[in-house]
Amino acid sequence: MSKEYYEEAQSKSSSSYIQFTPKSLARTYGVILKFEDEKVKQFQVHFEIEVICMEQLNLKEYKFEIFKKQVYFNQKAPETVIDELAERCGNTLYPLQLKINRIGQALEILNHDDIRARWNKEKINLRQCYSGNPYDKMIDSMDKILNNPSETEHILLEHDWFIKLFFAPIYDFNGSLKVDQVFSLPLIPYKLPVKYQIIQSIKNHLTRDGVIQITRKGNCIDTRSENDIKKGNIISITKDEKLTMGTINLEYLLYKNSPMVDSIVGECSLNFASNNYKKLKVEIYNLKEKLPKPRI
C-alpha cells in the first residue's frame, strides 16, 4: 500500500466522524491571544470562556450560550479607569446566546433583548461612576452599538476573535478531504476584516489515537492597500500597486466521539509593503477539569 493511498484512507475514515451534533455539550476553554505589530512586540490577552449547547432548534441549527470570565491583559486584570470601564461595558454582552448552523458557523445573536436590558440597567450605574471624556464617549458609543442589533451582531460575529475562530465553518466538508474557503479575519480592530483564501484539510492525528486534526491554512487575498485596510474602506481608493501579504495556519483538534473542538492553536499575519505588520498567535484549550456550573 502506497503512502499516498494510506494517508487518503486515513483521511476518509476520519471524515466520517466529523458530524456536528453538539447537543447538551458544555465546556470551559482557556483562551490566550498574543498580538504583535511594528510598535508593540507582544500584547497578551487571556481569559476563560464557557461554551454550552442549550438545545437543538431544528435539524440544522443549535442554540449556544457563551459566558466570558475575567479578562487579563499581559497577565494583569484591568488597572486603568478606562480599561475598567471597557470591561464593565463588555460584561453586559454575556451571557451571549448564538444560533449555530450544522457546519459550526455562528449565524446570529438570539438574545438581543436581554443584552439591551442588561445594558440599559448598567448604563445608569456607569454614568454615575464615570463622567467626562473619554468615559462619556465610550458609554455613548456602546449605547449606540447595543441599540442597533445589526451592528451588535456584526461586531461580535466578525470582530470577536474567539467567536470568529471557534465558530468557524470547520464542518463544511461535503464529502471532500479538502475544501477551499474564503475566511475573513479582524486583524485591524473594528475595521473591515481582511480576506484570506484557505484550504481546509482533515486527517487522523499521527500520534494521538482517536483524535482528528483539521488544518486551515492559506494566504491573504485582500487587494486593498495598507491605507485602505486601516481606514476600513471596502475597496482600494489609495493608488498603491504594492500588494498586501499575509498567512494563516490554524490547527483544530477534536475527538472522534465528541463533536466539539478540543483545541485550536496557530497564528495569522498581515504584512504591508511599508514593513508594518500585524500578527496574532492563538491558543484555545478545553479545560477538562472546569465544567461550566449550571446557571439559573
Side-chain angles (χ1 to χ4, degrees), residues 50-66:
E50 295 178 353
V51 180
I52 301 164
C53 183
M54 301 179 70
E55 62 178 301
Q56 185 169 356
L57 298 173
N58 51 56
L59 291 176
K60 296 182 179 181
E61 295 170 333
Y62 298 86
K63 180 180 180 180
F64 273 72
E65 184 171 74
I66 299 171

Side-chain angles (χ1 to χ4, degrees), residues 75 171 237:
Q75 311 291 338
Y171 302 88
I237 298 174

